[in-house]
Each structure stands twice: as structure tokens, then as C-alpha cells.
Amino acid sequence: QVQLVESGGGLVQAGGSLRLSCAASGRTISTSATGWFRQAPGKEREFVTSISASGITTYYADSVKGRFTISRDNAKKTVYLQMNSLKPEDTAVYYCAAATSARATDRGNEYGYWGQGTQVTVSS
């Protein structure tokens, strides 16, 4: 019904920046909160950030506050994650997701649609 495709990942040096994009197709995501999660090998999926359907409210994990910024362009059906001051511990596969409600949330089980992920590697 809806597909999410992440892009923009890659290899970056510590202190550098990357901008991830998540393009949606099929059903519109304009009425859904969206978010970003990440998962490193051998670790559980971790919440990164979320944004309400309207784009007014945002929520960040403590580990990325002040460094990452989530935004959305509902007309383009795209969600973005600007990552600055990257650290080696940010290395992970990053997934975008669309929630089942308009409210921003850090709970993975509130997200019904997931992208395939994009690899972010930060070298020291």
C-alpha cells in the first residue's frame, strides 16, 4: 500500500555530515507521523527521531539532540534526516518509517511501514 525508500547513506569521517532522504510512494504519508530508527550489527533497533504529520512537533533521542534534524515535505512525500557532527557510534543501518497515527512517537510498534534501510558508516 505504501513503500518507503531511503537514500543518502555512505561513508563519512567523524565530524562530518550526511543528509538522508526517505521517499514514499503509493498511499500518501501526509497524515502519518514519520520517524527514523537505526540498527547496528548485533544490536537492537534504536529510535533516532520522529516528526508529527503536520511537521510542527519533533522528538529526538538524547544521543542525537543538537546534531540531527528531521524534516518533511509532504507535497514531495519525502522525509529527511540531516546528520551533523557524526560520531563513530552513529554507524548503523538507518530506517525510515511511517506511523499509524499523526502523533510523533519513539515506539517502533507504532510504525506500520518501514523502508529497506541505508548504511551509514562513520570512521574515526
Side-chain angles (χ1 to χ4, degrees):
Q1 188 174 15
V2 61
Q3 296 80 43
L4 304 173
V5 180
E6 302 94 333
S7 62
L11 176 65
V12 64
Q13 192 174 33
S17 298
L18 284 174
R19 183 178 176 85
L20 306 184
S21 298
C22 176
S25 62
R27 186 177 64 84
T28 181
I29 62 170
S30 62
T31 59
S32 300
T34 55
W36 291 89
F37 294 75
R38 64 188 183 187
Q39 186 169 23
K43 297 184 178 180
E44 295 184 352
R45 182 182 60 197
E46 176 187 27
F47 169 77
V48 177
T49 180
S50 66
I51 186 168
S52 62
S54 68
I56 295 175
T57 303
T58 57
Y59 180 41
Y60 296 91
D62 289 342
S63 60
V64 305
K65 286 181 180 177
R67 300 189 298 119
F68 290 11
T69 303
I70 188 172
S71 61
R72 66 189 300 162
D73 186 335
N74 286 339
K76 296 181 178 179
K77 301 175 68 175
T78 303
V79 182
Y80 305 96
L81 180 63
Q82 179 67 47
M83 305 185 294
N84 299 325
S85 301
L86 283 162
K87 306 174 181 179
E89 51 262 45
D90 295 318
T91 295
V93 176
Y94 283 71
Y95 299 90
C96 68
T100 55
S101 75
R103 189 191 306 272
T105 177
D106 64 349
R107 296 185 175 184
N109 60 7
E110 296 290 336
Y111 292 85
Y113 304 96
W114 296 81
Q116 86 290 348
T118 185
Q119 177 71 48
V120 172
T121 303
V122 184
S123 62
S124 60

